Amino acid sequence: MAEGLVQCSLCSKTYIMKKNLYQHMRKVHNVSPQLKGNIMCPLNCEESFRSHKDFRNHLEVFHKYILENEIQEFSNFEMFEMWKKSFEETSGYKYVCHSSEKTLKTGEGKTYFFCHRSGVSKGDGTSLKSPRRCVSLKIGKTCPSAMEVSRSLANGTVRVDFLKTHIGHTADPEFATPCKKSKTKKLEKIDFEVCAILPAAGSGERMGLETPKQYILIHQKPIICHTVDAFLRIPFIKKVVVVAAANCVDLMLQTLSQMCLLEGDKLMITEGSNARHLSIQAGLKALKSYCEIQPEVVIVHDGVRPFFPEDIVSKVVHAAKEYGAAGVTCPLVSTVISVDDKGFLDASLDRNKFRASEMPQAFQFDVLTRAYAESTANDLEHGTECLHLVQKYADVRAKLLPVSSHLWKVTHHKDIYTAAGVLKESQTVAVICKEQTSEFLPLLKNALGKAFKSVHSAKFNVSTLGKFQNIVQVHEAENPYSVIEKMSSFQKVSELTSIVHVFINSFDPSINFLEFQKQAKISAKVLKLANILVYFIVREEMEPMDSVEEMVGLVKSLLFESSTYTSGNVFLS
């Protein structure tokens, strides 16, 4: 920076006079530069801030840090605390709350948990008191990692906006926390045979559609393919058996083949029944017939449950190997009642004593096989709970693992839209920009970070298409026709990919806008065949903030919706 110039700590712009810098910070960044805060940057730039929003904006723009955000949702605060405790034990990071919950006018309570290494230690080490056995070594500055916890006062549900990025202490050995290692039992490596059975022979009567729900498309991909793909990616599972209805075996074969999921010998399809237990039994027989080595543990999971963390599968498998059977449970959301023969209330169950049984479940292969061999025809045709069947006929009580309430399955028509949203939230976004546009990028990354799993800065190349399902490419001076021309070389991708091109500056007046719209539509039709959706946003006016915020909202909406109907459209902002 030239001598005599003053620099904005948020976007690196320089000014000759301080008053111009202050005016810029108020108008563009909405901060008051004269007032220093106690939130100190950990990167030795001597800047401090009054709000965490300004602090994070400074890290992203001035230091070019990519801050990773993650959204977690829980049915109640107790489930959040269980998740937080588990995360702290496994990650080594701890989070502390410095103030009580604040009630907002919006009808929710806000609580903030900050990284325990953030801030300055109060003691100077000269106290005569005995030192604590486990201490938190403060870094003397502010670590950005934090949890913003929003609790609904109406129904008790909890949403956590989790900023996961730590700065100032993860890479420095001198900041290592001298706490004793957690005594939490670590899961051993799975070195035994594990297979999975995915019953997908149901007719989907509750869905109310002619097409069975397992074949319904979510983001241009059948639900069963989302589930199968997730299981095929788990390395310790040796074989996956999909059980299809007798009249849908060919349809299932065609569906999985189109998504290139039948390559290799890890996946197989067998014929099942409309009865759930009979389908699972058919899957067991298929494994016994075609597996060279009989599996020690078999996982049972619904074909229409595409949402499950891999670590849950691992925990269930370990528990099944140790106890014979294992499953996962979630807290009941609604009260369960019993009704008498005349339609009157008979009794109400205490929700604190009962849980909802969810998937995945896992069993020792011999235990589940024995239970089905001993089961009555009535149980096989009308029963639905494998854990109860194993307890009744194999005398094995299942180990139950509590989890959060997001392990639901697609059952009703409305679940399709929820599933599409959940899948989008689990995806990542790549933001590609040659120039660091000061106004646009921080707002864009912040908005996308709240809607998607994480946001990354990337350079565009062939691998970017296969790695990210959502891409935002920001152009400052590039000719729009050259952008369309480059897309003509894109190859087909396996996952539906949405690309939003944002032209941050107004078009050159010499460019025929109507002709560009026409070319964009033609290009989009070709890209649809390659499983790529493309959208264009053009900045119509150069007003400072209103136009930028509108563009950010439009980018977020286009990516989240990923509509095939609007692909190729050019939006003015």
Side-chain angles (χ1 to χ4, degrees):
M1 184 174 66
E3 187 177 354
L5 295 180
V6 287
Q7 186 178 41
C8 175
S9 61
L10 297 173
C11 68
S12 304
K13 283 190 175 181
T14 57
Y15 295 88
I16 297 175
M17 301 179 67
K18 282 188 176 181
K19 69 174 185 178
N20 293 334
L21 169 64
Y22 295 161
Q23 186 179 21
H24 158 79
M25 295 182 74
R26 290 192 194 95
K27 287 187 175 181
V28 177
H29 303 297
N30 196 27
V31 297
S32 180
Q34 293 98 328
L35 300 176
K36 292 288 185 179
N38 57 2
I39 302 174
M40 296 173 287
C41 178
L43 297 173
N44 300 320
C45 70
E46 304 302 326
E47 291 289 342
S48 60
F49 304 88
R50 299 184 68 204
S51 73
H52 285 275
K53 179 181 178 181
D54 294 335
F55 169 49
R56 293 163 187 168
N57 191 35
H58 166 75
L59 291 174
E60 288 187 316
V61 177
F62 193 76
H63 293 292
K64 306 298 186 294
Y65 252 89
I66 304 299
L67 301 180
E68 183 179 356
N69 272 78
E70 179 179 290
I71 302 296
Q72 295 282 349
E73 293 184 348
F74 305 92
S75 58
N76 53 53
F77 200 82
E78 288 73 23
M79 293 302 301
F80 157 69
E81 289 181 317
M82 289 173 57
W83 168 82
K84 176 176 172 289
K85 181 179 179 181
S86 175
F87 177 83
E88 290 175 338
E89 289 176 345
T90 55
S91 68
Y93 296 119
K94 295 186 183 299
Y95 294 84
V96 294
C97 179
H98 297 303
S99 60
S100 59
E101 182 182 75
K102 295 181 180 179
T103 303
L104 306 182
K105 293 181 180 180
T106 55
E108 61 180 11
K110 284 276 188 181
T111 312
Y112 295 89
F113 293 82
F114 298 97
C115 173
H116 74 301
R117 303 287 302 283
S118 186
V120 181
S121 298
K122 293 183 179 179
D124 58 1
T126 61
S127 173
L128 296 177
K129 292 183 179 181
S130 300
R132 290 183 297 170
R133 294 176 62 188
C134 182
V135 297
S136 299
L137 293 182
K138 303 294 186 181
I139 62 175
K141 299 292 179 70
T142 304
C143 173
S145 185
M147 298 179 185
E148 179 183 317
V149 182
S150 304
R151 182 177 67 89
S152 171
L153 301 181
N155 55 23
T157 57
V158 174
R159 176 184 171 90
V160 181
D161 188 348
F162 184 18
L163 198 157
K164 302 176 69 174
T165 305
H166 292 264
I167 300 176
H169 59 91
T170 54
D172 294 325
E174 63 180 293
F175 290 138
T177 306
C179 299
K180 288 188 175 181
K181 291 185 178 180
S182 171
K183 294 183 179 180
T184 304
K185 182 180 178 181
K186 289 188 177 181
L187 295 178
E188 298 177 358
K189 182 180 178 181
I190 297 178
D191 55 1
F192 47 89
E193 291 291 314
V194 179
C195 295
I197 298 174
L198 306 181
S203 59
E205 293 180 2
R206 286 174 290 182
M207 183 67 71
L209 300 175
E210 294 183 2
T211 304
K213 56 190 175 185
Q214 54 268 36
Y215 302 103
I216 293 174
L217 299 181
I218 296 180
H219 297 311
Q220 303 302 302
K221 186 175 180 179
I223 296 175
I224 183 63
C225 292
H226 285 289
T227 308
V228 169
D229 196 21
F231 271 94
L232 292 178
R233 288 197 299 265
I234 300 178
F236 59 79
I237 296 179
K238 305 301 181 184
K239 183 79 73 175
V240 177
V241 180
V242 177
V243 187
N247 61 339
C248 291
V249 172
D250 291 338
L251 175 60
M252 182 66 75
L253 183 64
Q254 179 184 358
T255 300
L256 297 177
S257 297
Q258 287 177 345
M259 293 295 163
C260 303
L261 296 175
L262 283 174
E263 298 176 358
D265 58 354
K266 190 172 181 177
L267 180 65
M268 61 183 295
I269 301 172
T270 192
E271 182 181 318
S273 166
N274 286 334
R276 174 181 171 79
H277 280 320
L278 291 175
S279 289
I280 296 172
Q281 189 177 38
L284 286 172
K285 291 178 180 178
L287 287 175
K288 195 170 185 178
S289 300
Y290 295 102
C291 287
E292 296 180 1
I293 302 176
Q294 181 176 297
E296 189 167 344
V297 172
V298 59
I299 302 166
V300 176
H301 189 82
D302 288 328
V304 289
R305 290 180 184 261
F307 314 115
F308 57 90
E310 184 179 327
D311 65 318
I312 292 295
V313 180
S314 177
K315 290 176 182 178
V316 170
V317 167
H318 277 288
K321 186 177 187 298
E322 183 175 355
Y323 300 103
V328 293
T329 62
C330 292
L332 290 174
V333 177
S334 301
T335 301
V336 179
I337 61 174
S338 60
V339 183
D340 64 17
D341 296 337
K342 297 181 180 180
F344 290 95
L345 176 66
D346 180 44
S348 175
L349 299 182
D350 184 356
R351 284 193 297 177
N352 295 323
K353 295 182 179 179
F354 294 87
R355 293 290 183 269
S357 179
E358 302 289 350
M359 292 286 169
Q361 296 175 351
F363 308 85
Q364 291 180 7
F365 185 83
D366 292 337
V367 169
L368 189 59
T369 302
R370 186 169 73 251
Y372 276 115
E374 298 292 332
S375 298
T376 64
N378 183 66
D379 278 333
L380 291 177
E381 292 178 6
H382 302 289
T384 58
E385 180 54 74
C386 299
L387 299 178
H388 179 258
L389 206 70
V390 165
Q391 181 173 339
K392 183 177 180 180
Y393 292 105
D395 196 27
V396 174
R397 294 184 65 197
K399 176 67 175 177
L400 301 178
L401 308 177
V403 294
S404 59
S405 58
H406 62 273
L407 295 175
W408 49 273
K409 70 175 182 177
V410 179
T411 304
H412 303 287
H413 192 269
K414 63 181 181 181
D415 295 335
I416 298 173
Y417 304 102
T418 307
V422 173
L423 282 172
K424 269 294 176 184
E425 288 178 351
S426 67
Q427 294 177 353
T428 55
V429 183
V431 176
I432 301 166
C433 183
K434 294 181 180 179
E435 303 291 336
Q436 293 295 322
T437 309
S438 59
E439 299 174 356
F440 184 66
L441 284 185
L443 288 173
L444 176 65
K445 291 179 180 179
N446 183 54
L448 295 179
K450 293 180 179 179
F452 296 89
K453 182 179 179 181
S454 59
V455 181
H456 302 268
S457 293
K459 293 182 179 180
F460 192 83
N461 51 46
V462 178
S463 63
T464 310
L465 278 176
K467 186 177 180 181
F468 298 97
Q469 290 83 50
N470 305 279
I471 299 172
V472 182
Q473 194 161 4
V474 182
H475 310 277
E476 289 203 348
E478 192 168 359
N479 187 300
Y481 286 109
S482 66
V483 173
I484 293 178
E485 185 178 350
K486 289 177 182 177
M487 291 191 298
S488 62
S489 61
F490 289 174
Q491 301 296 317
K492 186 173 183 178
V493 293
S494 58
E495 296 282 347
L496 182 69
T497 302
S498 300
I499 303 176
V500 179
H501 290 283
V502 181
F503 296 92
I504 200 70
N505 296 322
S506 300
F507 270 10
D508 188 320
S510 63
I511 295 176
N512 188 321
F513 185 75
L514 293 178
E515 180 62 27
F516 173 72
Q517 283 184 308
K518 182 180 178 181
Q519 293 299 322
K521 281 284 188 182
I522 295 173
S523 176
K525 286 183 179 180
V526 176
L527 289 172
K528 276 185 187 179
L529 301 177
N531 222 14
I532 299 172
L533 305 179
V534 60
Y535 314 91
F536 303 87
I537 300 177
V538 178
R539 191 173 184 179
E540 187 177 19
E541 299 177 357
M542 294 303 293
E543 293 297 326
M545 292 305 295
D546 292 342
S547 176
V548 170
E549 291 178 355
E550 184 179 323
M551 292 177 75
V552 168
L554 188 54
V555 170
K556 177 182 172 182
S557 298
L558 289 173
L559 287 179
F560 207 79
E561 292 294 332
S562 291
S563 172
T564 57
Y565 301 108
T566 55
S567 180
N569 282 5
V570 181
F571 298 88
L572 294 177
S573 176

